[in-house]
């Protein structure tokens, strides 16, 4: 059965952790990364109103929009109604700011940013659910959904209340799959129960899943595979996925991820067992460092 975004290649370029030169985005390296990404056949770019204080959206214009035909890629951005606006007009103006910064003309995927907890109330208060649909009717937005950080039962309530949302973006990685706080598996299952395709964020957990204590386990299982590849393939092996976002900061990271995903192979049963061992090792770590994902 087909679903929204099924045809989109399963690696997305997350533009939250772009290479920097001091306080500014390293535009030349970003251009090279964009070029390699598109040349390899990948097309999905993800930014947000607040990423890098707006510099991420500005970099999108310079490195992508001004250099490639608009129909050759999908661009997603997000509106954080809880982050500053005091009126509906101010919240709605965030979309216009994103359009101006990116010069994109329209967004293929538009997200209400970081629903869950007390943040959802801002989207209700300012009428952003209806506003997004109005903009979709005008062709400014092609598809509307939301990103989410909260428990699975909250997601169930939200999707029941807003069946008009076309997709959900969730934090999914093998470390958080059974985590009682993040509830990756449970949230994924709720989204699929509601028939919503999923965009995956934080598949490598901010790089954590390329470090100890999982390194020894994964390298022993297959010394030829780079560590992030296990995490990317775990996420991309799930059904109903639009794409798996990776926040790449260097050309080297881009090249590694492209090598993994260009000829993507789902995890085998033996590899899933190795992932289980890595998950068990992570569960013994007293605390997991912040990934600086700005959520």
């Amino acid at each position: 059965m087909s679903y929204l975004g099924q045809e989109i290649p399963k690696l997305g370029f997350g533009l939250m952790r772009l290479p920097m030169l001091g306080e500014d985005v390293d535009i030349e390296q970003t251009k090279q990364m964009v070029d390699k990404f598109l040349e390899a056949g990948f097309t999905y770019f993800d930014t947000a109103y607040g990423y890098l204080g707006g510099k991420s959206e500005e970099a999108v214009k310079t490195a992508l929009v001004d250099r490639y035909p608009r129909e050759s890629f999908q661009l997603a951005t997000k509106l954080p109604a809880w982050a500053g606006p005091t009126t509906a007009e101010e919240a709605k103006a965030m979309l216009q700011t994103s359009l101006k910064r990116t010069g994109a003309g329209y967004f293929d995927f538009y997200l209400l940013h970081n629903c869950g907890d007390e943040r959802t109330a801002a989207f209700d208060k300012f009428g952003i659910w209806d506003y997004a649909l109005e903009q979709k009717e005008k062709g400014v937005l092609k598809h509307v959904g939301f990103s989410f950080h909260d428990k699975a039962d909250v997601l169930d309530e939200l999707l029941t209340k807003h069946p008009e949302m076309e997709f959900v973006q969730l934090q999914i990685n093998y470390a958080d799959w059974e985590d009682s706080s993040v509830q990756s598996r449970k949230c994924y299952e709720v989204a699929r129960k509601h028939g919503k395709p999923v965009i995956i964020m934080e598949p490598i957990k901010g790089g954590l899943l390329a470090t100890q204590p999982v390194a020894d386990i994964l390298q022993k299982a297959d010394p030829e595979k780079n560590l992030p590849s296990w995490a990317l393939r775990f996420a991309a092996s799930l059904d109903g996925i639009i794409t798996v976002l990776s926040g790449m900061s260097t050309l080297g990271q881009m090249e590694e991820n492209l090598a993994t995903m260009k000829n993507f192979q789902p995890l085998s049963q033996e590899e899933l067992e190795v992932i289980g061992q890595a998950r068990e090792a992570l569960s013994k770590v007293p605390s997991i460092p912040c990934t600086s994902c700005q959520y």
Side-chain angles (χ1 to χ4, degrees):
M1 184 176 178
S2 62
Y3 62 89
L4 170 66
Q6 185 175 20
E7 76 288 352
I8 294 174
K10 301 312 173 195
L11 177 65
F13 189 173
L15 301 161
M16 183 176 67
R17 299 185 179 93
L18 290 174
M20 304 294 289
L21 290 173
E23 297 296 315
D24 297 317
V25 174
D26 183 344
I27 288 295
E28 292 309 311
Q29 186 173 179
T30 301
K31 286 180 179 179
Q32 293 177 53
M33 294 169 73
V34 166
D35 292 346
K36 284 185 177 292
F37 188 76
L38 289 169
E39 286 167 6
F42 295 94
T43 56
Y44 190 102
F45 295 82
D46 172 86
T47 184
Y49 176 91
Y51 286 175
L52 303 176
K55 293 177 182 178
S56 176
E57 288 188 332
E58 292 170 354
V60 166
K61 183 178 192 302
T62 306
L64 176 65
V65 174
D66 288 349
R67 299 172 64 238
Y68 286 93
R70 181 63 185 86
E71 67 277 7
S72 66
F73 58 87
Q74 298 90 32
L75 180 60
T77 195
K78 313 177 190 76
L79 187 158
W82 41 267
T86 57
T87 67
E89 289 69 27
E90 289 175 355
K92 293 173 182 178
M94 287 176 155
L95 169 57
Q96 302 308 316
T97 298
S98 292
L99 287 165
K100 183 178 180 180
R101 285 174 181 165
T102 62
Y106 63 90
F107 294 112
D108 301 274
F109 291 81
Y110 196 68
L111 295 86
L112 282 63
H113 195 174
N114 196 10
C115 291
D117 200 19
E118 298 176 354
R119 298 175 300 276
T120 305
F123 299 102
D124 298 336
K125 178 181 178 182
F126 298 139
I128 303 302
W129 305 96
D130 290 338
Y131 175 68
L133 294 178
E134 290 166 7
Q135 296 305 305
K136 180 183 174 185
E137 287 292 319
K138 295 178 180 179
V140 177
L141 311 176
K142 300 300 182 184
H143 302 289
V144 177
F146 60 91
S147 59
F148 181 83
H149 280 271
D150 206 331
K151 300 295 191 292
D153 60 341
V154 178
L155 178 60
D156 196 20
E157 292 173 5
L158 200 53
L159 286 173
T160 299
K161 185 177 180 181
H162 292 285
E164 72 278 9
M165 293 293 103
E166 298 173 86
F167 64 94
V168 183
Q169 184 163 309
L170 299 173
Q171 177 172 321
I172 294 177
N173 56 70
Y174 65 77
D176 293 326
W177 190 241
E178 299 295 351
D179 184 85
S180 60
S181 176
V182 181
Q183 296 188 349
S184 281
R185 176 181 59 79
K186 290 181 178 179
C187 286
Y188 167 75
E189 289 174 352
V190 165
R192 299 303 295 142
K193 180 186 77 172
H194 284 268
K196 307 302 179 184
V198 174
I199 297 168
I200 292 179
M201 57 182 162
E202 296 293 334
I204 312 174
K205 205 169 171 67
L208 177 74
L209 302 186
T211 62
Q212 295 288 358
V214 301
D216 291 343
I217 294 169
L218 300 181
Q219 288 175 338
K220 181 179 179 181
D222 192 334
E224 299 301 315
K225 287 191 176 71
N226 69 68
L227 299 179
S229 72
W230 290 87
L232 286 175
R233 290 175 61 223
F234 173 84
S237 294
L238 296 170
D239 293 329
I241 299 303
I242 294 175
T243 198
V244 178
L245 301 175
S246 180
M248 294 170 274
S249 305
T250 67
L251 275 168
Q253 291 174 359
M254 173 66 74
E255 289 166 350
E256 281 191 351
N257 288 350
L258 291 177
T260 297
M261 297 299 289
K262 192 169 183 181
N263 298 302
F264 169 70
Q265 293 292 326
L267 291 174
S268 67
Q269 185 56 45
E270 291 80 5
E271 288 173 321
L272 284 170
E273 291 171 4
V274 173
I275 288 290
Q277 295 171 25
R279 183 186 298 122
E280 184 177 353
L282 283 168
S283 71
K284 296 175 182 177
V285 177
S287 63
I288 300 297
C290 173
T291 67
S292 301
C293 72
Q294 299 184 5
Y295 282 90

